[in-house]
């Protein structure tokens, strides 16, 4: 049944963006989509979405536009592109789902406010398979009325758990950076620990089975522990993703005067692996 809500603009159809947009279509939301590589929109066009050749063509006055892009620079380039903010206008809402620095969120929130529009941060915890299964966790931050307006959209995109972190710009991205930093730390400890077992002639699988049923009974340890036990080399096959996010975490910590010994180490390890890859 067709959703009676307004058409949603959607910019960014990468590995996470595509299943999120697909979920919106499945929920009955009309979509106007834009992606730098237009061919990635073809599955959505086949389901009824309309293609926008420029970012501003995905924006409607006072409407809602979603972006899920690679980094700070790509989000800024879209927001500052010709017509984006002008067309979004008064009471328009930009849901930013990219992992960016809190400073960038604060800067973009201020720019939106100058044009009468609103930035809602909603970065995602979850892989593409979790998005397709609608099992994402999403921290949000922004003005309360705007968060209430977009909550059904976040749920339709696959937000199973939505956590409100107040109205301050940057708050939700702080949570995302902390979570990604802790995930990266956990993956490295798992890999090093199970490598010790394997090199000493042991079987990593029962070790991880026991630990994830007892001391480390948590989704991250279960997911990555199983992956490491089955194929140690499979972890961090895309080291550029944690490299970017740990780098942003480290910069945010340094600017605040927080200690950074572990983030420095992780960043160096990831940089080395990225160069080797």
């Amino acid at each position: 049944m067709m959703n009676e809500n307004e058409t949603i603009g959607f910019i960014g159809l990468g590995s996470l963006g595509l299943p999120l947009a697909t979920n919106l279509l499945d929920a009955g939301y009309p979509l106007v989509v834009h992606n730098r590589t237009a061919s990635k929109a073809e599955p959505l066009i086949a389901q009824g979405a309309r293609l926008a050749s420029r970012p501003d063509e995905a924006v409607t006055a006072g409407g809602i536009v979603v972006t899920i892009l690679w980094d700070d620079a790509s989000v800024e380039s879209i927001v500052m592109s010709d017509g984006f903010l002008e067309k979004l206008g008064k009471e328009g809402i930009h849901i930013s789902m990219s992992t960016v620095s809190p400073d960038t969120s604060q800067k973009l929130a201020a720019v939106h406010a100058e044009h009468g529009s609103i930035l809602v941060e909603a970065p995602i915890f979850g892989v593409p398979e979790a998005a397709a299964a609608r099992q994402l966790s999403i921290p949000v931050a922004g003005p309360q009325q705007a968060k209430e307006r977009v909550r059904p959209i976040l749920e339709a995109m696959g937000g199973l758990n939505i956590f409100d972190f107040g109205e301050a710009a940057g708050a939700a991205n702080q949570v995302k950076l902390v979570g990604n930093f802790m995930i990266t730390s956990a993956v490295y400890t798992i890999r090093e620990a199970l490598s010790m077992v394997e090199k000493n002639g042991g079987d990593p699988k029962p070790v991880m089975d026991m630990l994830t049923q007892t001391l480390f009974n948590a989704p991250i340890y279960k997911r990555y522990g199983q992956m490491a036990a089955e194929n140690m080399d499979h972890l961090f096959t895309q080291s550029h993703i944690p490299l970017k996010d740990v780098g942003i975490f480290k910069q945010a910590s340094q600017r605040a005067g927080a200690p950074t010994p572990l983030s420095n180490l992780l960043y160096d390890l990831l940089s080395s692996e990225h160069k080797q890859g």
Side-chain angles (χ1 to χ4, degrees):
M1 186 172 72
M2 190 59 119
N3 195 297
E4 294 181 357
N5 285 357
E6 62 203 296
T7 298
I8 305 298
F10 200 102
I11 301 173
L13 301 174
S15 59
L16 272 172
L18 184 59
L20 295 180
T22 300
N23 288 345
L24 284 174
L25 282 173
D26 290 345
Y29 283 91
L31 289 188
V32 180
V33 299
H34 172 78
N35 194 68
R36 186 172 58 183
T37 304
S39 60
K40 290 188 177 181
E42 289 175 0
L44 301 172
I45 304 305
Q47 296 177 63
R50 182 162 59 87
L51 180 64
S53 59
R54 302 193 315 268
D56 66 291
E57 292 180 357
V59 179
T60 55
I64 295 172
V65 60
V66 178
T67 62
I68 179 160
L69 304 161
W70 168 241
D71 60 4
D72 297 56
S74 57
V75 178
E76 287 192 53
S77 69
I78 292 292
V79 171
M80 302 302 185
S81 64
D82 290 343
F84 183 94
L85 288 167
E86 290 77 12
K87 286 188 70 174
L88 191 56
K90 187 176 180 181
E91 296 184 359
I93 299 176
H94 169 200
I95 306 174
S96 176
M97 308 190 83
S98 309
T99 302
V100 299
S101 72
D103 283 354
T104 293
S105 288
Q106 292 165 9
K107 174 183 175 181
L108 293 178
V111 172
H112 277 76
E114 290 172 6
H115 289 77
S117 56
I118 302 165
L119 179 74
V120 172
E121 296 171 75
I124 296 169
F125 285 106
V127 295
E129 294 81 5
R134 295 177 172 82
Q135 294 181 341
L136 299 171
S137 294
I138 306 176
V140 296
Q144 188 60 36
Q145 281 190 317
K147 287 183 294 188
E148 291 171 3
R149 182 178 168 192
V150 305
R151 186 180 180 95
I153 296 167
L154 297 177
E155 292 173 345
M157 279 193 279
L160 178 64
N161 302 297
I162 298 173
F163 298 87
D164 191 337
F165 283 89
E167 299 199 355
N173 266 298
Q174 278 189 347
V175 177
K176 180 64 191 297
L177 292 171
V178 166
N180 282 6
F181 171 68
M182 294 176 70
I183 291 169
T184 305
S185 303
V187 170
Y188 265 105
T189 61
I190 290 167
R191 188 169 67 175
E192 187 166 329
L194 296 190
S195 179
M196 185 279 287
V197 173
E198 186 176 62
K199 297 298 183 183
N200 279 283
D203 184 351
K205 190 174 187 310
V207 172
M208 212 64 217
D209 285 346
M210 177 219 160
L211 291 174
T212 54
Q213 291 178 54
T214 54
L215 300 176
F216 298 94
N217 185 11
I220 290 301
Y221 282 97
K222 287 182 176 181
R223 171 180 168 77
Y224 289 102
Q226 181 180 358
M227 289 170 61
E230 293 174 354
N231 183 358
M232 202 78 69
D233 295 331
H234 183 68
L235 296 185
F236 285 160
T237 54
Q238 294 182 310
S239 61
H240 62 288
I241 298 173
L243 175 64
K244 174 185 78 77
D245 295 349
V246 170
I248 299 173
F249 175 91
K250 183 176 76 163
Q251 291 169 2
S253 296
Q254 289 171 338
R255 280 194 292 267
T260 60
L262 183 53
S263 58
N264 288 336
L265 174 61
L266 285 175
Y267 187 80
D268 290 344
L269 289 169
L270 287 161
S271 296
S272 177
E273 294 197 8
H274 182 58
K275 290 175 183 176
Q276 293 173 11

